[in-house]
Amino acid sequence: GAMGGSASLIPRDLLGEYQELTFLSKQEILLAYKRFSELLPKEERENACSARVPKSQILTLPELRANPFQHRICHVFSTSETRDDSMSFEDFLDMLNAFSDSATSDIKSYYAFRIFDFDDDGILDRKDLEKLVNCLTGQGEESRLSSAEMDQLIQNILEESDIDKDGTINLSEFQHVVSRSPDFASSFKIVL
């Protein structure tokens, strides 16, 4: 608009579509749009629906800044063809949708699995689990596990989760574990 201050809103037909395709309310979608367009340079805000926000900007969101899996989250939800982990508004909505309170635990666990699958090969192997544990315990020297502790922990995780005993965790094994831990869904959350 002439005032230059207000971001143009989402076209009404798109808004309806986003409501149907997500667990998000109209208010949440509009707030997401506002937050997304604020990550764009002023001159691109008019076309926020078709713009991409670089990963470096996405990572400035307080909700992601503190998340140990921030880089993986950008990677998993980005549809960028150049694989630069930038996000379109629809990518951003997909991310918020998966992390929303209303998303089913199947959806949450599917995305958690993809986020934890650091090499994107469709299974969680020892390397993925090591990286996962390091992300969760922090990278500082004092918080790092010794290799014996790490081995023990990964053995415990596999004993709990690896139903077919092939040394890795596949999606259905992961979802089975998650279904038995009631606090998983509530911890897998980003609310704007």
Side-chain angles (χ1 to χ4, degrees):
M3 300 298 292
S6 63
S8 59
L9 288 173
I10 307 173
R12 187 170 289 141
D13 52 339
L14 265 183
L15 186 58
E17 202 177 305
Y18 293 151
Q19 276 175 268
E20 275 171 39
L21 295 174
T22 66
F23 299 102
L24 305 168
S25 69
K26 183 177 168 181
Q27 280 69 28
E28 289 173 313
I29 294 168
L30 291 171
L31 176 63
Y33 187 79
K34 179 175 183 286
R35 295 290 299 275
F36 182 81
S37 54
E38 284 166 358
L39 296 171
L40 288 164
K42 287 209 165 44
E43 63 277 5
E44 284 180 41
R45 286 181 192 169
E46 288 295 303
N47 304 312
C49 270
S50 54
R52 298 194 74 85
V53 166
K55 174 183 176 177
S56 57
Q57 279 298 99
I58 299 283
L59 292 179
T60 64
L61 289 166
E63 296 80 8
L64 278 179
R65 244 195 333 248
N67 192 305
F69 303 103
Q70 46 173 245
H71 296 287
R72 288 296 304 158
I73 291 169
C74 285
H75 179 73
V76 164
F77 288 98
S78 168
T79 56
S80 161
E81 289 176 7
T82 59
R83 296 174 168 257
D84 62 0
D85 295 352
S86 63
M87 279 195 198
S88 66
F89 178 60
E90 293 188 0
D91 295 344
F92 188 67
L93 266 193
D94 276 340
M95 173 183 79
L96 292 177
N97 185 47
F99 283 100
S100 78
D101 269 337
S102 324
T104 64
S105 102
D106 268 2
I107 288 181
K108 286 181 180 293
S109 54
Y110 167 77
Y111 282 109
F113 182 84
R114 289 193 49 202
I115 288 165
F116 300 160
D117 176 16
F118 287 86
D119 56 7
D120 298 317
D121 66 351
I123 51 169
L124 306 186
D125 56 19
R126 296 188 74 93
K127 274 205 181 69
D128 292 323
L129 295 173
E130 273 183 34
K131 285 190 173 165
L132 171 56
V133 170
N134 282 336
C135 274
L136 290 171
T137 54
Q139 303 292 336
E141 284 305 306
E142 61 290 339
S143 54
R144 287 206 84 128
L145 299 185
S146 70
S147 58
E149 290 170 320
M150 179 69 89
D151 283 342
Q152 185 57 56
L153 182 54
I154 287 176
Q155 203 177 320
N156 295 351
I157 295 173
L158 288 170
E159 270 166 26
E160 276 287 292
S161 324
D162 179 18
I163 298 162
D164 62 12
K165 299 294 172 228
D166 67 349
T168 66
I169 302 169
N170 62 32
L171 177 60
S172 62
E173 289 169 336
F174 182 77
Q175 289 186 318
H176 180 71
V177 174
V178 165
S179 69
R180 300 194 320 235
S181 60
D183 53 345
F184 172 78
S186 60
S187 63
F188 193 75
K189 190 161 95 179
I190 292 178
V191 178
L192 283 182

